[in-house]
Amino acid sequence: AACITSVMHWTIHERARAEERILLDRLSALAQHDPLTGLANRSLLHERLEAAVSAEESALVIAVDIDGFKPVNDSHGHAAGDALLVEIARRLTTCIRTGDTAARTGGDEFMLVLPGSSAERGTTIAQRILDEIAAPYALDGKHVNVSASIGITVGPPHADPRVLLEQADAAMYSAKLSGRATFVSYGKAPVGESERTLIIDARTARNWAAYTRNLRRQISKAKDAGTLPPQTRGPESIRRTLESLLAAIDMLPQQPGLVPLSLPAATALEEFIFHHELVQEWARMLAAKNILDLDWSDD
């Protein structure tokens, strides 16, 4: 009887431990994956990218942003928009290998990490993604179409993961700048570059880009600290205009002097000036309340 009781207790204990392990595995998976698409989230993306650059091999990073998602979401509803994102995620996974990582990093923004891949493979994968995303989608009994803007970068072993993600993003916004539905490799001019340009001093442009990014980091820190007052997020079109301009500045030649800066749209300069003035007014107000510290800016 004592032996039977002991075996029963052991069995119950082992079953409880097994169920606990299953539960912990499920919780870990939920913490590292996007609940809608099942793709990796930002946390797992960073973990996989750090592992890739630490493996003594190159790492290919691809940023994918969906063109035309918002009109579909607005016209067909959020449920249809979610279904579209799920199908896009499925198509993305068909373009990569087992061992590669596909992550959803925003509403209609995705990031891929392909360890041990070259720039040439990046262009092949990017074209495959363009073709997959461009194929029609069936929503509410109707066929809809979207496209993708894609940025590509390749980092050597031990590259900074944060820098690689920023480079892929910059190349992606450069793809949007050049007309969307295309891909751009970081450090290379977009194909079919816009004819609308602004002649600007390269050093001035880079200083402005550094100022804007530093300001964003300050605002992000204030938000994390809970000292940022409630505010309404600006229109998505304005944010994308700003991102496109920053990406265009990143693509400028390194030599000093006057250079042509491509603009993403006919009204881009006017939109940017309006947006920039609002940001500066807001920054000065927050600095006056000691919420932001602008001492890092010399220009």
Side-chain angles (χ1 to χ4, degrees):
C3 289
I4 291 174
T5 300
S6 177
V7 169
M8 289 178 62
H9 280 299
W10 179 84
T11 302
I12 293 171
H13 178 69
E14 287 301 308
R15 183 178 299 171
R17 289 185 61 186
E19 290 176 352
E20 182 182 8
R21 283 194 297 269
I22 292 173
L23 179 59
L24 289 174
D25 289 342
R26 288 176 179 173
L27 291 174
S28 177
L30 288 173
Q32 293 187 313
H33 291 82
D34 173 53
L36 175 63
T37 63
L39 298 182
N41 60 14
R42 284 183 179 274
S43 175
L44 184 56
L45 171 70
H46 284 274
E47 181 180 314
R48 296 277 177 84
L49 182 53
E50 287 178 358
V53 298
S54 300
E56 298 296 337
E57 58 184 2
S58 61
L60 173 66
V61 180
I62 300 177
V64 180
D65 188 270
I66 306 304
D67 307 319
F69 173 75
K70 189 176 185 300
V72 172
N73 198 46
D74 292 344
S75 300
H76 297 271
H78 292 296
D82 286 349
L84 176 59
L85 289 173
V86 170
E87 175 59 16
I88 288 172
R90 187 195 68 78
R91 296 185 187 187
L92 285 175
T93 58
T94 66
C95 298
I96 59 177
R97 311 161 299 186
T98 301
D100 296 335
T101 300
R104 182 185 177 207
T105 56
D108 59 349
E109 298 172 355
F110 301 85
M111 194 75 71
L112 310 180
V113 173
L114 292 78
S117 294
S118 63
E120 291 73 19
R121 176 170 174 77
T123 58
T124 301
I125 295 296
Q127 186 58 58
R128 187 182 304 170
I129 292 172
L130 288 177
D131 295 339
E132 285 289 332
I133 299 300
Y137 300 80
L139 295 177
D140 295 335
K142 299 179 181 179
H143 289 290
V144 300
N145 293 89
V146 295
S147 61
S149 295
I150 300 174
I152 307 168
T153 191
V154 177
H158 306 295
D160 187 335
R162 180 184 57 81
V163 171
L164 292 181
L165 293 174
E166 289 179 353
Q167 289 177 349
D169 264 336
M172 180 271 291
Y173 280 109
S174 187
K176 284 192 175 294
L177 173 70
S178 62
R180 306 187 177 192
T182 188
F183 63 84
V184 171
S185 296
Y186 182 78
K188 297 183 179 179
V191 177
E193 191 172 3
S194 169
E195 296 180 357
R196 183 176 174 84
T197 58
L198 173 71
I199 303 301
I200 192 169
D201 180 74
R203 180 179 178 276
T204 300
R206 295 187 192 283
N207 285 345
W208 176 84
Y211 169 83
T212 300
R213 287 177 170 135
N214 278 331
L215 179 59
R216 282 181 157 186
R217 282 191 283 270
Q218 287 277 331
I219 292 174
S220 179
K221 289 179 180 178
K223 182 178 179 181
D224 293 341
T227 59
L228 197 65
Q231 48 93 21
T232 301
R233 182 175 179 178
E236 183 70 9
S237 60
I238 299 296
R239 184 183 75 85
R240 291 193 181 279
T241 295
L242 180 61
E243 295 290 358
S244 295
L245 287 164
L246 289 171
I249 290 171
D250 288 340
M251 297 295 177
L252 291 178
Q254 292 297 322
Q255 64 266 24
L258 297 179
V259 293
L261 174 65
S262 298
L263 302 178
T267 61
L269 183 59
E270 291 82 357
E271 287 184 6
F272 160 69
I273 292 173
F274 173 73
H275 178 70
H276 180 66
E277 288 177 348
L278 287 180
V279 169
Q280 297 310 302
E281 181 181 353
W282 188 36
R284 286 191 292 269
M285 180 269 290
L286 295 178
K289 295 183 178 180
N290 295 320
I291 295 174
L292 294 186
D293 178 10
L294 302 183
D295 290 342
W296 42 261
S297 175
D298 296 326
D299 296 287

